[in-house]
Amino acid sequence: MTDTVKLKKGLGRGLSSLIGDVSKITKSNKISISSIVRNKHQPRKNFNKDQMEELTNSIKERGIIQPIIVRKKSDKYEIIAGERRWQAAQNAGLHEIPVVEIEADDLKSLEFAIVENVQRDDLNPIEEANGYKRLIDEFQYDQDKVAKFIGKSRAHITNCLRLLTLPAEVIKLIEEKRLSQGHGKIIVGLENSYQIAKKIVEKKLSVRQAENLVRIYKSSKKFKVIANDSNIKSLENSLQEKTGLNAKIHHKKNNKGILSFEYNNTDQLDRLVMVVKANY
């Protein structure tokens, strides 16, 4: 009973609700660290090096306060929750660690792994999205069920999953934390999303600045239609509203031309240069 109380107190509402009744907990004790293997359902692929070092130092000083959760797999014990503690314990040179063994099938194991990580808010967005995708692909969840289970909005689940449609190069930037989830969300579906992503990283654009860049890109795609419709004046007016400067477009039949801005002082010129630099 004591182990059950500790388990519920330390792992958060999602995990405690998954653990459910005490009968599913078979035993709690210390076992050899070499008899434990990582969970193939673990959504996390990367662990923060600095945080891992801090945890290792803490374990060296105080040991493992909160046991990890495992299930029996053949002659080994597979981690369900607590892989960071297991790895840090190895780094700290421990030979045994406290565990709580429970009965869990593959679905419960994946649910545990996702809930533990997502509720700690330190999964990267791609790992989080892949965890949700596995629930959908392998265990017949739909987005509504995932949202209800994880305790997040349906929109959040949808936006996470949409990140997986980005090119591999953009996904890598997000995994490396060079691009945020907010940045990724606004370039989903763009033909040149990788080029825009690189521009965002190079210029260190905020999400708001990146939105302006995407807006300009989308406007430029509409230019041919506007030009072909001879509706140049409306585009000039739009540019004047955005920059505060008189804009002139000299469009030729071969779809070439000149775009010019008229400024009255250096302040206006500086403003125009700043707008261009911020977005390009």
Side-chain angles (χ1 to χ4, degrees):
M1 185 67 180
T2 306
D3 291 318
T4 306
V5 173
K6 286 182 180 177
L7 202 60
K8 291 190 177 186
K9 190 173 181 182
L11 290 174
R13 292 171 301 179
L15 284 174
S16 63
S17 66
L18 282 175
I19 291 168
D21 58 281
V22 182
S23 63
K24 290 185 179 179
I25 300 176
T26 58
K27 56 185 174 180
S28 174
N29 54 18
K30 280 192 172 185
I31 62 174
S32 168
I33 203 166
S34 61
S35 66
I36 300 172
V37 294
R38 80 181 301 272
N39 187 347
K40 65 179 181 179
H41 297 296
Q42 166 66 265
R44 181 193 300 279
K45 304 302 177 188
N46 302 300
F47 293 91
N48 182 282
K49 193 173 292 185
D50 292 335
Q51 291 178 355
M52 183 64 74
E53 189 174 334
E54 288 177 10
L55 182 57
T56 299
N57 291 334
S58 173
I59 288 174
K60 283 180 180 178
E61 292 179 13
R62 296 179 292 175
I64 295 181
I65 298 172
Q66 179 179 293
I68 70 172
I69 304 173
V70 299
R71 65 171 176 165
K72 198 78 167 67
K73 289 282 283 188
S74 301
D75 60 338
K76 297 287 185 179
Y77 293 90
E78 183 182 76
I79 299 170
I80 291 179
E83 184 168 334
R84 285 179 70 249
R85 276 166 281 151
W86 173 64
Q87 288 194 14
Q90 293 180 82
N91 296 339
L94 270 61
H95 299 293
E96 288 186 330
I97 56 174
V99 302
V100 172
E101 182 187 341
I102 69 169
E103 295 177 6
D105 57 18
D106 286 348
L107 173 57
K108 278 286 185 234
S109 179
L110 176 60
E111 288 176 337
F112 268 111
I114 291 174
V115 169
E116 185 202 28
N117 287 294
V118 170
Q119 289 195 342
R120 290 175 189 270
D121 291 326
D122 56 0
L123 270 188
N124 78 54
I126 300 302
E127 291 172 331
E128 182 181 350
N130 278 320
Y132 299 154
K133 190 173 186 296
R134 291 193 67 180
L135 285 174
I136 292 168
D137 291 348
E138 298 178 29
F139 300 103
Q140 290 72 55
Y141 274 50
D142 58 30
Q143 290 189 26
D144 286 326
K145 188 175 179 182
V146 172
K148 184 176 180 181
F149 172 73
I150 298 297
K152 294 183 180 285
S153 69
R154 165 67 185 269
H156 174 82
I157 304 300
T158 300
N159 286 330
C160 274
L161 291 170
R162 290 180 73 225
L163 294 177
L164 299 179
T165 66
L166 287 164
E169 299 92 341
V170 180
I171 287 177
K172 187 176 180 181
L173 290 175
I174 297 174
E175 288 177 326
E176 293 172 347
K177 297 186 177 179
R178 298 170 65 193
L179 203 68
S180 74
Q181 181 174 357
H183 288 117
K185 186 172 72 172
I186 62 178
I187 60 176
V188 166
L190 296 182
E191 293 176 6
N192 63 340
S193 57
Y194 181 47
Q195 284 70 31
I196 293 179
K198 286 197 297 182
K199 188 75 69 176
I200 292 170
V201 172
E202 288 169 8
K203 298 293 183 180
K204 298 181 180 178
L205 301 182
S206 67
V207 172
R208 185 175 292 254
Q209 289 171 325
E211 285 175 342
N212 290 334
L213 176 61
V214 170
R215 197 174 293 117
I216 290 171
Y217 164 72
K218 288 180 176 177
S219 296
S220 68
K221 289 195 72 176
K222 296 175 183 177
F223 176 75
K224 286 185 179 178
V225 176
I226 294 172
N228 290 337
D229 290 342
S230 301
N231 199 6
I232 299 297
K233 190 64 181 175
S234 64
L235 182 56
E236 288 177 339
N237 291 337
S238 176
L239 290 170
Q240 287 171 186
E241 288 176 7
K242 291 184 187 315
T243 63
L245 301 174
N246 288 328
K248 292 292 181 184
I249 297 173
H250 303 282
H251 182 69
K252 301 176 183 178
K253 290 183 179 180
N254 62 359
N255 286 329
K256 293 183 179 180
I258 298 171
L259 168 63
S260 62
F261 292 93
E262 181 183 339
Y263 57 89
N264 297 319
N265 52 55
T266 54
D267 287 340
Q268 289 184 341
L269 175 60
D270 288 341
R271 172 179 166 77
L272 178 61
V273 171
M274 183 178 66
V275 170
V276 172
K277 281 186 173 181
N279 291 287
Y280 290 96

